[in-house]
Amino acid sequence: MKTTTLKRTLAGVFAAAMLCSSVSCASGGSSNDSNGNSSSGNSPSASNVSDKTITNVYRSTDIDADIPMDYVNSIKQIGGGNILIEGNDDKGNSILLITDSEFSTFTPLDLKLELSENSTSFVQSCVLGNGNIAAIVQITDYGDFQLPDWEDPTFNYDEFDFDAMNEAAEYSCKFLILSPDGEILASSDLADLDQYKGDEGEPLQTGNICAIGEDKCLLSIYNNDKDIYVILDSDGKFVEEVDITEGMYQGTCLDENKNLVYLSWGSNNLELKKISAEDYKPMSDTLSLSDLESNGMSLLMPGNGDYSYYFSGGNALYGIKADGSSDEVVNWIDSDINGNYI
């Protein structure tokens, strides 16, 4: 089992966005001296900038977590204050874990996939409006073909028969609904989506899965060099296609009415757009984010207090107000944190 190091700042940031405590969960920050001047000792450059106030600076703390993951793909808050961690083991197979807000215990979820020895699985998940977890599982079974140890330093990529491996591959896709405790509530094979398979029998190529409404999700599908967006119900049944003229950006979340909010490119800057949870149509209340950076992974979260949403870019975590203006909440760079991996 591999020991994976997580950053406590991640827990702090999600607590900030979801639990209405945007500054109290991180270590460090600014303090006032006897003269009322603000200062911070958490930035390595603080001592060199005596005439400049340093704000929004925090310190991360390592967590030594004994979890069977080589890589963490995503972290999502679920019901009861718990957190869903999605990642991969050393063979590339996906793993889902549930942990508490302190990252003290980790419970692996049994998806009951019954995978053969020579198979791989890839999972993408989202938290629905009702708190349940929806997951798309893509399975590739290579039958009797023996997969190599990709981590073996002596493995010869030039001599390996990739054509034979691809010919042996059989593909399937499952849709699961799990409770916040990890219990499987529904499972299906997404037969309704066979119409979106490739022209020559290629497997269904799914992309991001996002929550919309209480119990439905929006799934992106790659088909004939274009993106198609479909609504699925909690049984994995096809509901309808959704017309999104601007390609969906990485960040998505739900607003207070369970409408799907997503980031998109406008003519000059990023914009927040919505898809209605009632009729799955694009809504008219687009919000222009004129002073927001566009680099980084672009994580979007529901806000609190003065902020409608929180946005994480490569440089900082921002609070977005109702008029589209924003404030810097945490500066990743001054806090010695790589914001591209938040």
Side-chain angles (χ1 to χ4, degrees):
M1 184 173 291
K2 183 181 178 66
T3 298
T4 300
T5 298
L6 301 176
K7 295 284 189 179
R8 189 173 295 276
T9 297
L10 290 175
V13 167
F14 272 77
M18 305 297 188
L19 302 181
C20 302
S21 179
S22 62
V23 294
S24 63
C25 293
S27 301
S30 59
S31 60
N32 294 328
D33 59 22
S34 58
N35 297 320
N37 298 317
S38 177
S39 64
S40 172
N42 291 325
S43 170
S45 60
S47 60
N48 301 324
V49 193
S50 58
D51 59 342
K52 181 180 179 180
T53 299
I54 299 178
T55 58
N56 307 329
V57 179
Y58 299 83
R59 180 178 64 244
S60 65
T61 303
D62 290 345
I63 299 175
D64 290 328
D66 193 18
I67 58 177
M69 285 185 180
D70 266 21
Y71 189 81
V72 173
N73 296 322
S74 68
I75 298 177
K76 306 177 179 74
Q77 188 165 24
I78 54 180
N82 289 331
I83 292 171
L84 177 69
I85 303 179
E86 183 182 293
N88 299 95
D89 63 17
D90 55 4
K91 295 182 179 180
N93 289 315
S94 292
I95 297 174
L96 296 181
L97 301 173
I98 291 180
T99 184
D100 55 80
S101 60
E102 295 298 320
F103 288 77
S104 61
T105 60
F106 299 87
T107 303
L109 301 187
D110 182 6
L111 303 184
K112 303 186 184 304
L113 299 178
E114 299 181 355
L115 300 176
S116 67
E117 180 181 357
N118 296 317
S119 63
T120 61
S121 64
F122 178 70
V123 179
Q124 288 184 290
S125 64
C126 69
V127 181
L128 300 177
N130 58 15
N132 290 332
I133 302 165
I136 293 287
V137 186
Q138 293 176 298
I139 301 170
T140 306
D141 190 338
Y142 296 94
D144 295 331
F145 187 91
Q146 186 65 44
L147 294 176
D149 180 0
W150 305 106
E151 301 297 324
D152 185 350
T154 65
F155 175 68
N156 191 324
Y157 282 85
D158 294 330
E159 295 182 0
F160 183 73
D161 193 344
F162 286 97
D163 290 336
M165 183 185 75
N166 292 331
E167 290 177 2
E170 293 186 0
Y171 305 95
S172 60
C173 193
K174 286 188 174 294
F175 179 79
L176 303 175
I177 297 292
L178 300 96
S179 71
D181 296 326
E183 177 188 357
I184 295 179
L185 304 177
S187 176
S188 66
D189 292 328
L190 291 179
D192 285 357
L193 299 185
D194 285 348
Q195 59 182 307
Y196 296 108
K197 290 184 177 180
D199 294 335
E200 298 180 2
E202 293 93 343
L204 183 70
Q205 299 185 54
T206 62
N208 291 334
I209 181 173
C210 314
I212 185 169
E214 290 287 346
D215 59 356
K216 294 180 176 59
C217 57
L218 179 71
L219 176 67
S220 62
I221 300 172
Y222 306 116
N223 184 270
N224 295 328
D225 298 324
K226 67 177 181 179
D227 292 333
I228 298 173
Y229 301 94
V230 299
I231 299 291
L232 299 177
D233 66 17
S234 57
D235 292 321
K237 300 295 185 182
F238 171 82
V239 177
E240 63 179 89
E241 286 189 18
V242 175
D243 181 20
I244 301 178
T245 55
E246 301 89 355
M248 287 192 69
Y249 208 70
Q250 179 141 354
T252 62
C253 70
L254 297 179
D255 69 6
E256 64 277 8
N257 296 315
K258 302 297 191 298
N259 300 310
L260 174 61
V261 185
Y262 68 97
L263 285 158
S264 179
W265 285 106
S267 56
N268 297 309
N269 45 256
L270 287 174
E271 295 178 340
L272 280 182
K273 296 179 178 292
K274 293 185 179 183
I275 298 174
S276 170
E278 297 295 328
D279 59 10
Y280 315 117
K281 306 295 183 185
M283 301 177 67
S284 60
D285 48 349
T286 296
L287 187 63
S288 178
L289 309 177
S290 57
D291 57 349
L292 202 62
E293 64 164 303
S294 59
N295 63 307
M297 294 298 287
S298 305
L299 175 69
L300 187 68
M301 297 175 286
N304 63 279
D306 293 335
Y307 304 126
S308 300
Y309 305 97
Y310 287 103
F311 168 90
S312 180
N315 298 328
L317 176 74
Y318 303 91
I320 301 175
K321 299 180 181 180
D323 62 359
S325 63
S326 60
D327 294 330
E328 183 183 277
V329 178
V330 180
N331 187 295
W332 301 134
I333 297 174
D334 289 344
S335 304
D336 289 339
I337 298 171
N338 189 340
N340 292 316
Y341 294 96
I342 298 295

